[in-house]
Amino acid sequence: MNRAMRTILCAALAFLGAAAPGLGLSQENGTTEKTATPLALVATIDGAIGPATARQVANAIEEAAGRHADVLVLRIDTPGGLVTSTRDIVSDILASPVPVAGYVWPGGGHAASAGTYIIYATGIAAMAPGTNMGAATPVSMGGGMPGTPKGPGSENEGGNKTGDSASPSNEEALAKKSTNDAVALIVSLAEAHGRNAGWAEEAVREGESIGASKALEIGAVEVVAQDLDDLLAQIDGREVLTNGKIVTLATANARVEHLEPGFMTELLALISNPNVAFLLMMIGVYGIIFELSNPGSFGPGILGAICLLLGLYALNQLPLDYAGAALIIFGLALMMVEAFTPTFGIAGFGGLIAFIFGAAILVDSDTPEFQLSWWTIGITALLSVALLVFLIGYSWRALRRPVTTGAEEMQGAEARVLEWSDGEGYVHVHGERWHARGPAGLVPSSTVRVEKMDGLTLVVS
């Protein structure tokens, strides 16, 4: 090789050596190293767990996966929520390709009830000082805490002994099934992530709740962090179970980005409030009633249809009591009967009673955030009463109003004779010339009274 070729080769090698750091190449161990700054995405769950929360978490996991984030942090402060939405969130977290960390935050916040299940589903469970979690006992249909079945030799409320052969009531059986199902879920989550399964079971069966330091001491959580930066620093290098695989976290000096809920999530959060959904449905129903009673006024009908569809969609996301829904539909049907076939309040007030009872039991949830307010029920009931009174008054006035058209209106009207001969002729009435018959002695310009109409001929006297 001549001197010129050696010079060119050395220059090329020098260029590649200088470019290697920019290309992310390293000769050490013959591997490719990741030099990009780690990315941590943060989604905040604040308030009751419902359909909007489930959608928010699903969207956050999807975005974290699409952006190849190193970790997704769920900051949680919730009193609990709906069972169906909680299970959807747990399923999404377990299937997430991106490691998910649950962080009870801020100080004074809590992850109660449904929040405890979500924390236990995440790969890293963390709490801020001054927070607590637990109280995960399912609430019974009647609103009380379901107790465990009474043991041998215990006494029931009537003072009678109950033995091993005594079968629990249906309510107790349902409560026991619900509690056992919840225990099985949270224990399986605890075992998957190596957390304290015993305390988790107590949180479900006995409603136990613990603070951050105690949770760390007994192994219910892995980290107690002052803030988000502290959390990311502490979990760096930890191994977590993610979608069935062990992943090592790289979160030191991570770039943090907060994920805000999208428009559809915000809309769902608004309309999935039972009070908003109920009001939307009522506006829709009355808008359609007004449209049907006044054909051609397209505005109320279009607005009513939109509100009704939004209300029905929102209610479909909630646990409905179908007996309540049936009572509401029956009550509205009776109100519509009153609107189109006046019964002087009988159908209308019967529909109002059915409507109130149906609204009171419409949403089958003991979570206060997902129950219809009595204020909402009372206001809609009063508006319905006002509408019924208006309809009844309008109907009564319409029945007492004199007839203004047709043969009935002509009866008793005064007419002036224009021409007359042999008991018939022509008269002038209401600005029109009519053929008439009557007494033979009538003369022009005399005044007569219309007795009735016989076809197109007036009978006068």
Side-chain angles (χ1 to χ4, degrees), residues 433-452:
R433 179 185 174 93
W434 286 81
H435 182 262
R437 68 173 185 268
L442 296 178
V443 296
S445 298
S446 60
T447 300
V448 294
R449 184 177 300 277
V450 178
E451 296 291 336
K452 64 178 181 178

